[in-house]
Amino acid sequence: MAIKMDGKALAEKMRREIREETARLSRRPTLAVILVGEDPASQVYVRNKEKDCVECGILSQGYRLPEETSEAQLLELIGVLNDNDLVDGILVQLPLPKHISEQKIIHAIRPDKDVDAFHPFNVGKIVTGEAGFLPCTPAGIMELLKEYQIEIAGKECVVVGRSNIVGKPMALLLLREHGTVTICHSKTAQLTDQTRRADILVSAVGKVGTITGEMVKDGAVVIDVAMNRNAEGKLCGDCLYDEVAAKASYITPVPGGVGPMTRLILMKNTLTAAQAHLDKEKKPQERFAP
């Protein structure tokens, strides 16, 4: 039976470390969180992030905007926050209402305040392996693999899902650690043939039952990113948990696996942003790029 990878416990350990670091700074880091509309899931996510801020010693500025907020109004608010030297990170909760372009909003956030690491400038740094913000869910997974001393170099790594938020950056981070990476998606033929090769299997599809026991190699490490509800309304991931856990060596539960780590990487990125901004204040002649 697989060992459960306890993201909740690791997140608590990171929370203490971040709180100690924020206490050493000359001012508290500040994260601006913008929520447009009344999506129930987004409201829960935002409340959890604000709670994390309090527990990590980070100031949270919340902006609740009505569903009918125009794209221009949202861009204007982002511009104000970009220019506010006391704001270290800006997070716009996705998804946005359909009349607002997510791409325009992501591009509008100043890269040094883009703690979600969605801006093309920060994505480019991930591709080239430069230091910078890492996207929260993939970085959280890497922390879990490190905590459980799971070797990546030379291993067959299969990522199911190709989103800009999880799938693509996850593949890049595994590649950075010398894994041999395959990305699968809805058009992949013979998905089971691909997943059964994986020493490390990451599923980020968002569909109950995507990964069954027969799709998993004996002894594989299985990372289930998804947060779904089954027919009974119970929270679950992409994996049929009992089937997969019977074959895997390690597995992330849902909930309590990847989710807590995603939120703590956001806190870590906000701390990193604040440290960089405070360093820049000592060297005012330098400018942020781009």
Side-chain angles (χ1 to χ4, degrees):
M1 194 70 175
I3 295 171
K4 286 185 182 180
M5 302 173 77
D6 192 343
K8 199 170 180 182
L10 180 54
E12 181 54 39
K13 176 183 171 184
M14 289 181 63
R15 187 176 287 111
R16 290 194 300 269
E17 293 171 351
I18 293 169
R19 190 163 56 238
E20 289 171 3
E21 287 295 317
T22 58
R24 294 190 186 102
L25 299 180
S26 59
R27 64 166 175 81
R28 290 172 67 186
T30 297
L31 174 66
V33 181
I34 303 171
L35 174 62
V36 183
E38 309 255 342
D39 180 74
S42 292
Q43 289 179 335
V44 171
Y45 294 146
V46 166
R47 281 199 300 270
N48 286 336
K49 288 166 184 174
E50 291 172 338
K51 180 173 176 278
D52 288 329
C53 283
V54 171
E55 293 175 348
C56 289
I58 293 171
L59 291 173
S60 174
Q61 293 183 0
Y63 297 86
R64 264 59 169 189
L65 306 180
E67 182 87 14
E68 60 271 18
T69 298
S70 69
E71 184 175 276
Q73 288 171 320
L74 181 54
L75 288 170
E76 182 180 3
L77 173 58
I78 291 170
V80 170
L81 296 172
N82 278 339
D83 292 338
N84 187 339
D85 291 339
L86 295 180
V87 172
D88 298 297
I90 301 171
L91 182 148
V92 178
Q93 183 65 43
L94 303 179
L96 289 166
K98 291 182 179 180
H99 64 277
I100 299 176
S101 165
E102 289 188 0
Q103 185 180 55
K104 282 186 182 178
I105 299 307
I106 288 168
H107 287 211
I109 298 171
R110 217 169 75 182
D112 61 289
K113 299 190 179 191
D114 169 41
V115 287
D116 263 332
F118 291 164
H119 192 286
F121 179 80
N122 290 321
V123 173
K125 287 185 136 188
I126 298 164
V127 172
T128 57
E130 296 179 56
F133 298 130
L134 296 179
C136 298
T137 297
I141 291 168
M142 297 302 285
E143 290 286 349
L144 271 171
L145 293 172
K146 180 181 176 182
E147 177 72 8
Y148 284 86
Q149 299 180 345
I150 294 166
E151 182 67 35
I152 298 171
K155 298 293 181 66
E156 288 280 349
C157 304
V158 175
V159 179
V160 185
R162 54 178 168 178
S163 73
N164 292 333
I165 295 172
V166 180
K168 291 176 186 175
M170 185 75 250
L172 290 168
L173 294 187
L174 290 167
L175 186 62
R176 181 187 290 191
E177 296 300 320
H178 313 295
T180 301
V181 183
T182 301
I183 302 178
C184 299
H185 45 78
S186 59
K187 303 298 182 184
T188 298
Q190 303 300 324
L191 178 61
T192 298
D193 291 344
Q194 301 295 332
T195 59
R196 290 180 74 174
R197 292 190 297 104
D199 300 306
I200 299 173
L201 175 62
V202 181
S203 184
V205 176
K207 183 178 179 183
V208 177
T210 298
I211 305 296
T212 65
E214 68 172 359
M215 299 172 71
V216 177
K217 175 182 177 180
D218 286 337
V221 175
V222 180
I223 308 295
D224 195 341
V225 178
M227 186 72 77
N228 309 309
R229 289 196 182 271
N230 61 17
E232 293 76 41
K234 182 181 176 182
L235 281 174
C236 61
D238 286 342
C239 299
L240 295 182
Y241 185 85
D242 291 341
E243 287 185 18
V244 174
K247 295 184 72 175
S249 58
Y250 292 86
I251 189 169
T252 56
V254 178
V258 174
M261 294 303 301
T262 296
R263 288 161 48 193
L264 262 293
I265 296 297
L266 175 65
M267 299 298 105
K268 184 178 178 181
N269 283 347
T270 303
L271 170 60
T272 299
Q275 290 168 328
H277 292 151
L278 288 167
D279 286 344
K280 290 289 184 181
E281 288 172 13
K282 298 174 185 175
K283 304 172 185 177
Q285 71 279 9
E286 296 184 14
R287 294 175 60 86
F288 287 107

